[in-house]
Amino acid sequence: MTDLTDTATDAGGPDRAAAQSGKTPNLTWALIVISIAQLMVVLDGTITNIALPYIGRDLDIDQANLTWIVTGYALAFGGLLLLGGRLGDLLGRRRVFMTGLLVFAVASAIGGVAQSEAMLLSSRALQGLGAALAGPAALALITTTFPAGPARNRAFAVYAAMSGAGAAVGLILGGWLTGLDGLAGLDVEGWRLTFLINVPIGLVAAALAPRFLVESERTEGGLDVPGAITGTLGLLALVYGITRAGEEAHGWGDTWTIASLAAGVALLTTFVLVESRVAHPLLPTRIFRDRTRAASFAAMMFAPAAMFANFYFLSLFIQQIMGFSSLKAGFAFLPFSFGIVIGAGLASNLVNRIAPRVISGTGTLFAAIGLFAFSRLDVDDSPSAVVAALRSGQAVGADVNYFTHIFPFIVLMAIGMGMVFVPLTLTAVHGVAAQDSGIGSGVLNTMQQVGGALGLAVLGTVSLHFANNRGDEVAGELARATGGDQALFGQSLFQSTYTTGATHALLVASGLMLVASAIIWTQLRVRPEELASDGAEGAPAHLG
């Protein structure tokens, strides 16, 4: 961040509110506040992954409901993002940003002291609400605080790195905190620290915001209540149905799964009709008229769908199959954080000279190769080998070498995702009218969160299908090998089937990344020099 200028001097870039208030923002500190907040809300999507077994044991939550600790947050976050973006436009982005951080901190405190399943899941939904308010406001504040050109590009690079690295940082931090027996002399379960750590961070960021962030101008017009209701409930119903379909106890044929998906489609269809008729729509259809922007939104749905599913399956493989402890499993993802920073920095330096589609398109190909490599992971999960390993206390996948089978492809995928996030973040909000910047960033964040939830649900169903088929093949032999020991049979069945299901899901994830790549290569049409200026809404994008 050493190249950032100390103050915003380009009158055409920062919001006019800065000039009107007589306050010139310190860009370095403004970026620090925004980045900390963005990192916090993104990493919370994965920070509990490694802690799930411990949470289930302490709060007596069964295996099926444990998934809602992850998906409940994604549901609330993704479903309410558009509303959060619009509220930022109407009420002031700094005000909504601060409100979101405070809500997030309070929700984290509730989760950290939760004594029941209902209390914990409610706190996760409330965290999602706070993230939905703070997330789009954070991105819009970059657009209205930093002048167009290198300063804004570097700010977007840092923001994109936080967005991409947040999921990996969540796994690392979650693994470390879960392995602790207390902190600062306090005797507290490690999993509770994955919630409580957000409290001071959120409060400090909210306290610093008035000092370093300038309030945006409020746009005129009222809140589109019918659009807010139909759009938010439609997204919630759709993501809920897809998530429920990925659960072993329900599936795609479940009555409530079908009803939820049908309701989601109906509500979203109604939402589109409402938005085309109201005077001040929650989601102006004009925001999709630019081909490059629409392509960026679409790619930002498919790429995270593959990435977040990869975190889920790979983290379980490393713990349950390779036998890593929670702390060691968390640090196994540390290279991803470094790799995505390298990729984001590379993209930031190249985006002023090379077409965004070349940078992000290449990045998706790197990520697809990494995912394909993970889909080739192999262990001896024959019934005899699994039972022998469990009886001897060894991990079934102990022979899988982290540095040859995992590490190179984590780095490759991380660099690729860094190259994806920076150009797509820039192209998704380039040329958006000032009054729509909040909702434009809301759509971008919505695509990332909804894409992640959708991807995990769909790929979870793929994994379940192949794991169940594998289970049918080996169940008889496992029953004989375990000699009636039901506990050993259950463990052996999981160990014999998980790798088959996960690798098939990761193969499909590689395909999803290739879909994102195809969209980028064929539809992204903006030149590097266009990103150096604010552009104009509706201006045609030249071939790059």
Side-chain angles (χ1 to χ4, degrees), residues 28-76:
T28 299
W29 275 102
L31 184 58
I32 289 173
V33 172
I34 292 172
S35 298
I36 289 174
Q38 178 65 8
L39 179 64
M40 182 178 69
V41 300
V42 173
L43 68 81
D44 233 65
T46 58
I47 195 171
T48 58
N49 278 16
I50 292 177
L52 290 178
Y54 302 89
I55 297 174
R57 181 193 62 200
D58 287 355
L59 298 184
D60 193 26
I61 303 176
D62 62 41
Q63 189 66 34
N65 287 340
L66 273 181
T67 59
W68 285 103
I69 297 173
V70 177
T71 56
Y73 178 76
L75 281 170

Side-chain angles (χ1 to χ4, degrees), residues 12-329:
D15 198 280
R16 280 188 304 169
Q20 292 175 348
S21 66
K23 178 179 180 179
T24 306
N26 182 303
L27 295 188
T28 299
W29 275 102
L31 184 58
I32 289 173
V33 172
I34 292 172
S35 298
I36 289 174
Q38 178 65 8
L39 179 64
M40 182 178 69
V41 300
V42 173
L43 68 81
D44 233 65
T46 58
I47 195 171
T48 58
N49 278 16
I50 292 177
L52 290 178
Y54 302 89
I55 297 174
R57 181 193 62 200
D58 287 355
L59 298 184
D60 193 26
I61 303 176
D62 62 41
Q63 189 66 34
N65 287 340
L66 273 181
T67 59
W68 285 103
I69 297 173
V70 177
T71 56
Y73 178 76
L75 281 170
F77 193 178
L80 297 171
L81 267 168
L82 291 177
L83 181 61
R86 187 58 178 164
L87 286 173
D89 289 337
L90 295 175
L91 303 179
R93 289 155 200 152
R94 187 182 70 183
R95 179 179 290 104
V96 172
F97 177 73
M98 293 170 59
T99 301
L101 291 177
L102 292 175
V103 169
F104 196 93
V106 171
S108 299
I110 294 172
V113 299
Q115 299 299 311
S116 67
E117 177 181 341
M119 187 176 179
L120 184 70
L121 295 181
S122 297
S123 74
R124 287 294 278 170
L126 191 59
Q127 279 185 316
L129 170 61
L133 294 174
L139 183 54
L141 283 168
I142 289 181
T143 303
T144 57
T145 299
F146 291 82
R152 186 180 295 178
N153 290 349
R154 283 189 288 270
F156 273 129
V158 174
Y159 175 91
M162 295 300 101
S163 299
V169 172
L171 291 169
I172 298 166
L173 192 59
W176 174 61
L177 292 172
T178 300
L180 297 178
D181 295 323
L183 189 66
L186 298 176
D187 184 15
V188 59
E189 293 95 338
W191 69 263
R192 294 185 182 277
L193 296 175
T194 64
F195 289 88
L196 296 175
I197 193 172
N198 293 320
V199 178
I201 297 174
L203 294 177
V204 169
L208 292 177
R211 181 173 180 182
F212 298 111
L213 300 176
V214 176
E215 182 58 282
S216 63
E217 291 184 281
R218 300 186 188 184
T219 58
E220 296 181 358
L223 184 64
D224 173 18
V225 177
I229 293 174
T230 56
T232 301
L233 292 182
L235 282 173
L236 286 171
L238 188 62
V239 177
Y240 172 79
I242 294 170
T243 303
R244 184 180 176 89
E247 296 177 1
E248 184 175 3
H250 305 114
W252 292 101
D254 175 72
T255 301
W256 284 105
T257 297
I258 296 172
S260 180
L261 291 173
V265 172
L267 285 166
L268 290 176
T269 301
T270 304
F271 170 73
V272 172
L273 295 175
V274 169
E275 297 308 279
S276 65
R277 289 170 169 78
V278 296
H280 302 286
L282 180 67
L283 180 59
T285 55
R286 61 181 177 273
I287 207 167
F288 291 99
R289 291 174 187 165
D290 180 83
R291 178 179 177 180
T292 289
R293 193 180 306 132
S296 300
F297 290 149
M300 191 58 88
M301 183 178 71
F302 283 101
M307 185 184 76
F308 283 104
N310 173 63
F311 285 137
Y312 177 81
F313 291 112
L314 194 59
S315 64
L316 285 178
F317 181 86
I318 289 174
Q319 283 190 96
Q320 303 294 336
I321 305 301
M322 294 176 63
F324 281 29
S325 67
S326 60
L327 178 61
K328 191 175 179 181

